[in-house]
Amino acid sequence: MPDTEKLPLRRTQADRTRATRERILKAAHDTLMARGYAGASTWAVCETGDFSKGTLLHHFRQRTDLFGALIVDLGLRSLASLDAAMKTAAPGQRIDVFLDWLWSTLEGDFFVVGLEVLTAARTEPELGEAIRKGADELSTLLDAFIDSALEDVPVGSADFVRSALQTSVHLVRGIGLDLSIGGNLSAHRARFDNWSRTVRVLASGTILPPPER
């Protein structure tokens, strides 16, 4: 009899579906980064990923569905890294972990992809609707992480710190927008560090020294 431990595991239909979906999303990402949203037609995405139009349409009936899903997928991947960091954070460190993660979202392609799609959504109502739905889902998950960080905060300060952390999200979005048109990274980092220190003061009730860099 064959050694079953050495036989390759057969992929289920769900595994194949998930793999194909991930392949399509990667092709959409790569096409968007190379050509911008205007050049990221469904045909261009198929060419990038080397799959048929029928394969794409089986998973995403509309172009707007595809790029709405891409934004959600990138957001979930980023939140997965936050989840891992929060789970291993020492007591009292979850606010620092959250703020460090938030700044890290300015790195890589996440913000660039979001800006490309959001700009297009201004004149494409269906795309805007898909992006709004995905953004609401991600915001709900993000609020859950904020609530988790608040477990380290005195009850009397929790509402203030929650508002400060939610404001931090919008602050980073604004920074990302300015950086996309050549903003000063060092100046923004210094401001964000000062703001982060303010959040920590709200959370602890004590004046903390500036963080060492």
Side-chain angles (χ1 to χ4, degrees):
M1 295 181 64
D3 186 349
T4 56
E5 292 185 358
K6 295 182 179 180
L7 291 176
L9 295 176
R10 295 184 62 184
R11 293 199 305 174
T12 66
Q13 180 59 43
D15 290 335
R16 290 191 291 271
T17 297
R18 182 168 52 252
T20 302
R21 180 183 172 89
E22 290 176 355
R23 182 182 173 194
I24 294 171
L25 289 174
K26 183 181 185 307
H29 168 273
D30 292 348
T31 307
L32 188 71
M33 292 299 295
R35 307 188 187 190
Y37 184 79
S41 65
T42 52
W43 284 112
V45 172
C46 292
E47 180 182 28
T48 299
D50 193 26
F51 46 74
S52 69
K53 186 74 173 288
T55 297
L56 188 152
L57 293 177
H58 177 73
H59 293 270
F60 301 100
R61 298 299 301 175
Q62 302 290 336
R63 182 175 181 237
T64 54
D65 296 333
L66 171 60
F67 286 100
L70 176 61
I71 295 297
V72 172
D73 181 69
L74 292 175
L76 290 176
R77 290 177 186 273
S78 183
L79 287 175
S81 68
L82 173 60
D83 184 46
M86 293 282 272
K87 286 178 178 176
T88 58
Q93 296 299 311
R94 280 179 286 193
I95 286 177
D96 291 330
V97 166
F98 181 85
L99 291 169
D100 287 344
W101 166 82
L102 192 56
W103 180 265
S104 76
T105 62
L106 294 172
E107 303 167 355
D109 299 337
F110 179 71
F111 191 85
V112 176
V113 171
L115 184 60
E116 280 280 347
V117 177
L118 286 172
T119 301
R122 187 182 70 83
T123 55
E124 290 191 26
E126 289 185 358
L127 178 61
E129 184 178 340
I131 296 301
R132 181 71 267 163
K133 180 180 178 181
D136 289 343
E137 293 174 1
L138 293 174
S139 292
T140 298
L141 294 173
L142 196 56
D143 282 342
F145 283 110
I146 289 175
D147 287 341
S148 176
L150 293 175
E151 293 177 9
D152 299 331
V153 176
V155 174
S157 302
D159 286 343
F160 295 105
V161 178
R162 178 183 290 106
S163 294
L165 291 176
Q166 290 170 335
T167 299
S168 301
V169 175
H170 297 291
L171 173 61
V172 166
R173 288 174 181 170
I175 290 173
L177 180 61
D178 189 60
L179 291 177
S180 71
I181 54 173
N184 187 315
L185 177 61
S186 297
H188 281 306
R189 180 73 219 218
R191 295 187 191 106
F192 185 77
D193 284 346
N194 284 334
W195 169 250
S196 297
R197 183 166 176 253
T198 300
V199 176
R200 295 186 189 100
V201 169
L202 286 173
S204 67
T206 59
I207 302 300
L208 301 179
E212 296 183 2
R213 296 192 58 78

